[in-house]
Amino acid sequence: MAAPTEITSPETLHGLYGEPSENAVYKELDRLIPEYRVFIEASPFLTIASAGPDGLDCTPRGDAPGFVRIVDDRTLMIPDRRGNNRVDTLGNILHDPRVGLLFLIPGCGETIRVNGRARISVDPELLASFVVEGQAPRSVLVVEIDRVYFQCAKAIMRSQLWDPSRHVERNSLPSPGRILKACTAGRMDAEAIDQAYPGRLKATLW
């Protein structure tokens, strides 16, 4: 009989990979410790994963380091700055509050992962406390932490993500205008979109 080519059970999965190391188990907590706080406070960028009726989603969030507010050892706040108004993440949270956060720090190999449950606040005083450049966010995500742990640097090291010699020239990739033109079967004016893009991007930062 041929060996199976697909894993279909937890038993087979764990048989292939074995047990996690003690370090991998001990690093997972249900709250922030001071060492984890330092990483989150230093991070200018995170991705947030969510699940909704149409499936899964993962989107980026970024601002100056410390833009994610640590309320206490089990609570984070994330301002929702201006974007494309698709509100994919927010809509998903209304359906299923579970979220997964991945914090990155430029130049650092380790990342911080947070799993928890989010709610959307539009409290005026809270929004006002997140004002940047005179602009308040439209809402704030309040995340209750269920699990937090650090991810070792292996993935960042393999990808050489922070190595400047590995950085890709932006001009070697399709421009926003070219992408939209392709998505609309040529109906969009790629050149006009690309000419307006830098100004539009700057105008919607906050």
Side-chain angles (χ1 to χ4, degrees), residues 98-109:
R98 293 176 299 173
V99 294
L101 311 178
L102 178 68
F103 291 87
L104 285 85
I105 303 171
C108 177

Side-chain angles (χ1 to χ4, degrees), residues 25-152:
V25 174
Y26 292 153
K27 67 184 179 182
E28 180 182 328
L29 301 174
D30 63 354
R31 67 195 184 283
L32 296 176
I33 55 176
E35 289 75 11
Y36 284 166
R37 282 174 169 257
V38 172
F39 277 84
I40 291 175
E41 291 169 344
S43 174
F45 181 84
L46 65 86
T47 60
I48 178 169
S50 59
D54 296 324
L56 303 177
D57 185 60
C58 187
T59 59
R61 295 288 188 274
D63 211 327
F67 77 101
V68 174
R69 181 178 298 169
I70 299 174
V71 180
D72 54 45
D73 291 347
R74 289 184 168 87
T75 312
L76 302 174
M77 289 183 176
I78 307 170
D80 195 67
R81 302 293 180 189
R82 294 183 181 186
N84 55 23
N85 295 333
R86 285 180 55 106
V87 297
D88 296 313
T89 299
L90 302 183
N92 285 349
I93 288 170
L94 294 178
H95 174 80
D96 184 338
R98 293 176 299 173
V99 294
L101 311 178
L102 178 68
F103 291 87
L104 285 85
I105 303 171
C108 177
E110 289 77 18
T111 59
I112 294 292
R113 296 170 61 175
V114 173
N115 293 336
R117 291 155 289 113
R119 56 186 173 86
I120 306 168
S121 176
V122 290
D123 177 83
E125 291 186 4
L126 181 59
L127 299 182
S129 72
F130 279 96
V131 167
V132 174
E133 298 290 330
Q135 296 289 336
R138 293 184 179 179
S139 64
V140 172
L141 290 180
V142 182
V143 179
E144 302 297 332
I145 296 172
D146 291 327
R147 292 188 296 160
V148 55
Y149 50 99
F150 77 91
Q151 186 80 30
C152 74

